[in-house]
Amino acid sequence: MKIGALAQRAEVGIDTIRYYEREGVIPAAQRRESGYREYGDGDVSRLRFVRRAKELGFTLPEIRDLLDLTANASSDMALLNRRAQEKLDDVNRRIAELARVRDALKQLVVACPGHGALDACPIMAALSEDAA
């Protein structure tokens, strides 16, 4: 199939496919005599895997690692499980950090009356003070 059909079936953009080829996430396509790229059903599956992994927050290097792990279907799933657990731990750390930021911003917003001179604003004061 041509790149347009692959993009449609895998639900990704044509430029995304070309980028993934350059980055080694998917193998370089075979070329027809006309110069057009030729893709197969395996490319659809691989791109769907990549898309889903990205939706779960995996980076391209992590996805390449996952693809390497899954290249042998008879391999033990322990390493794949460990990679997923590491990603989950990372997501939980980021959620905790965002909650901390949210709480700090909420305190600043509540402390600011929203009117008056800017030099009396508690938000401005908090952003301007030196870290001790």
Side-chain angles (χ1 to χ4, degrees):
M1 81 188 81
K2 290 183 182 176
I3 196 167
L6 174 64
Q8 186 174 22
R9 286 186 57 197
E11 300 177 32
V12 298
I14 291 172
D15 290 338
T16 300
I17 295 170
R18 290 182 182 132
Y19 174 72
Y20 288 164
E21 279 187 25
R22 282 192 309 272
E23 294 298 312
V25 176
I26 62 171
Q30 299 294 318
R31 297 276 185 163
R32 295 179 179 182
E33 285 185 26
S34 62
Y36 287 107
R37 292 174 169 93
E38 180 66 29
Y39 297 95
D41 290 334
D43 296 309
V44 175
S45 297
R46 191 171 182 98
L47 283 169
R48 287 179 178 164
F49 180 99
V50 173
R51 183 175 45 83
R52 290 178 188 131
K54 284 197 64 63
E55 289 170 356
L56 291 172
F58 288 96
T59 65
L60 283 185
E62 291 168 336
I63 292 169
R64 274 193 292 271
D65 184 41
L66 294 176
L67 287 166
D68 289 344
L69 291 174
T70 60
N72 184 356
S74 64
S75 294
D76 183 43
M77 67 180 80
L79 193 52
L80 187 57
N81 180 278
R82 188 171 0 162
R83 294 294 186 268
Q85 183 62 54
E86 289 168 356
K87 181 52 67 177
L88 178 59
D89 294 344
D90 180 53
V91 167
N92 284 328
R93 277 190 297 278
R94 288 187 286 160
I95 289 171
E97 176 64 15
L98 286 170
R100 185 196 64 74
V101 169
R102 179 200 59 218
D103 293 345
L105 284 170
K106 186 187 280 186
Q107 286 180 332
L108 291 173
V109 168
V110 167
C112 180
H115 57 82
L118 191 57
D119 61 354
C121 177
I123 297 172
M124 193 67 168
L127 295 175
S128 299
E129 70 184 30
D130 291 330

